[in-house]
């Protein structure tokens, strides 16, 4: 019994991952910086330049933000990068914990042999219901990333300043105004697009698809791969991580398809490609 430890922790400590999907996984939304697992090494805030990469798409603006041309938006974007930097090491705000893919009442899979009726684990249809509340708990980074100077009745800059002051005081578990602010439909749509983008960027780094990874595992099964081999366990760790990213992709798309957009409104505008880096780089302090 390995308890409640994440698959990635089990693999790093024991070289083992439950191949029936009974282990725990999580989806990562930190696409451009890294967060070490708590208790392993202290996290350091990444440089402002790193966090500006999250802001390159300028959601909610028809034109890419340039300092001299869009001073109000540029000032807010600069502050957003400092805010992102401040929350950059908070794993709970950048990750979505997910339930096991296998039902807990199942008999655990053997750690030495692969059963004849083995099936590659996957998330069930109930995952969307779970994510309706769980995913929103990790929405703060994307709320911030997609915030425009028009949102919050034009008070976004002031709210960010107040939140930063609260965090700079070092109070643990500070209640941040941005986290609890009521957001309109356009801002919600931009937030969901942002979450979808970050989950996709993470998944693409694996260099393969979920279907291809599942096929590889089945081929290993047919070739009588050992359950205790490094290759078998590494393949399942990779599959679990990719499936975790994909459920966030699918969930956000499902939500977006149910929402009405006004393509002529700048508030609903989402950019599929990042703006030129030099536009963001000029905001570095």
């Amino acid at each position: 019994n390995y308890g409640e430890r994440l698959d990635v922790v089990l693999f790093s400590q024991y070289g083992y991952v439950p191949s029936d999907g009974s282990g725990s996984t999580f989806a990562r939304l930190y696409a451009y910086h890294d967060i070490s697992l708590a208790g392993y090494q202290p996290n350091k805030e990444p440089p402002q330049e790193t966090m500006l990469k999250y802001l390159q798409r300028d959601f909610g603006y028809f034109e890419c933000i340039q300092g001299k041309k869009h001073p109000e938006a540029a000032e807010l974007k600069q502050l957003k990068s400092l805010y992102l930097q401040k929350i950059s090491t908070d794993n709970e705000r950048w990750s979505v914990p997910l339930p096991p893919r296998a039902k807990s009442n199942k008999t655990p899979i053997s750690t030495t042999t692969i059963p004849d009726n083995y099936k590659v684990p996957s998330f069930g249809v109930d995952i969307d219901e779970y994510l309706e509340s769980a995913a929103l708990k990790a929405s703060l980074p994307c709320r911030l990333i997609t915030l425009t100077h028009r949102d919050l009745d034009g008070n976004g800059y002031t709210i960010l300043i107040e939140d930063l002051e609260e965090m700079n005081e070092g109070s643990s578990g500070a209640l941040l105004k941005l986290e609890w602010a009521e957001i309109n439909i356009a801002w919600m749509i931009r937030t969901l697009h942002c979450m979808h983008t970050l989950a996709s960027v993470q998944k693409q780094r694996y260099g393969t698809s979920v279907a291809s990874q599942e096929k590889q595992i089945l081929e290993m099964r047919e070739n009588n791969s050992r359950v205790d081999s490094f290759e078998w366990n590494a393949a399942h760790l990779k599959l679990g991580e990719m499936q975790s990213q994909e459920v966030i992709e699918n969930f956000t798309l499902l939500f977006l398809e149910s929402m009405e957009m006004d393509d002529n409104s700048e508030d609903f505008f989402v950019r599929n490609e990042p703006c030129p880096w030099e536009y963001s780089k000029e905001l570095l302090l």
Side-chain angles (χ1 to χ4, degrees), residues 45-257:
E45 291 180 5
Q48 181 195 10
E49 183 173 1
T50 296
M51 305 315 290
L52 272 169
K53 294 177 182 177
Y54 288 98
L55 302 172
Q56 270 191 269
R57 293 180 188 259
D58 290 341
F59 289 110
Y61 295 96
F62 284 145
E63 293 186 349
C64 290
I65 297 172
Q66 300 180 60
K68 293 181 179 179
K69 191 175 181 180
H70 314 99
E72 194 172 9
E75 186 179 30
L76 179 65
K77 183 174 179 177
Q78 187 178 63
L79 188 61
K80 283 160 58 173
S81 69
L82 299 178
Y83 195 122
L84 279 172
Q85 192 178 23
K86 202 66 182 176
I87 65 171
S88 62
T89 62
D90 190 340
N91 189 56
E92 290 186 1
R93 287 191 166 115
W94 291 87
S95 303
V96 182
L98 298 170
R101 289 160 288 165
K103 300 297 182 182
S104 58
N105 60 355
K106 285 183 60 178
T107 302
I109 194 169
S110 169
T111 57
T112 56
T113 59
I114 306 173
D116 293 335
N117 62 347
Y118 173 77
K119 293 183 179 180
V120 178
S122 61
F123 287 101
V125 294
D126 56 344
I127 188 64
D128 288 333
E129 183 179 351
Y130 169 84
L131 287 173
E132 285 183 11
S133 59
L136 293 180
K137 293 178 182 177
S139 66
L140 177 62
C142 279
R143 278 185 174 220
L144 175 61
I145 290 167
T146 60
L147 175 69
T148 74
H149 68 280
R150 303 181 301 273
D151 296 316
L152 300 172
D153 296 324
N155 296 318
Y157 190 91
T158 300
I159 289 175
L160 296 193
I161 288 290
E162 292 174 352
D163 276 356
L164 281 169
E165 290 175 349
E166 182 75 21
M167 287 188 281
N168 286 332
E169 290 177 1
S171 55
S172 178
L175 291 175
L176 303 178
K177 292 184 177 181
L178 183 63
E179 200 162 21
W180 298 101
E182 184 176 344
I183 67 177
N184 57 43
I185 188 67
W187 189 6
M188 172 61 79
I189 285 173
R190 299 196 307 267
T191 297
L192 289 169
H193 268 286
C194 169
M195 294 177 72
H196 180 270
T197 298
L198 296 184
S200 297
V201 169
Q202 277 283 19
K203 195 183 78 170
Q204 289 167 8
R205 287 181 176 155
Y206 291 96
T208 187
S209 66
V210 169
S212 295
Q213 187 66 14
E214 291 174 343
K215 181 180 178 181
Q216 178 189 345
I217 288 174
L218 289 175
E219 289 174 350
M220 294 173 72
R221 165 70 184 89
E222 292 172 1
N223 294 330
N224 297 315
S225 176
R226 289 175 57 89
V227 174
D228 58 357
S229 71
F230 175 87
E231 292 77 13
W232 176 262
N233 285 287
H236 278 85
L237 176 66
K238 183 176 180 179
L239 174 66
E241 292 183 347
M242 292 181 66
Q243 288 176 332
S244 298
Q245 299 303 126
E246 189 167 82
V247 294
I248 298 298
E249 284 183 303
N250 294 340
F251 170 76
T252 50
L253 279 179
L254 185 67
F255 242 86
L256 287 167
E257 288 172 356

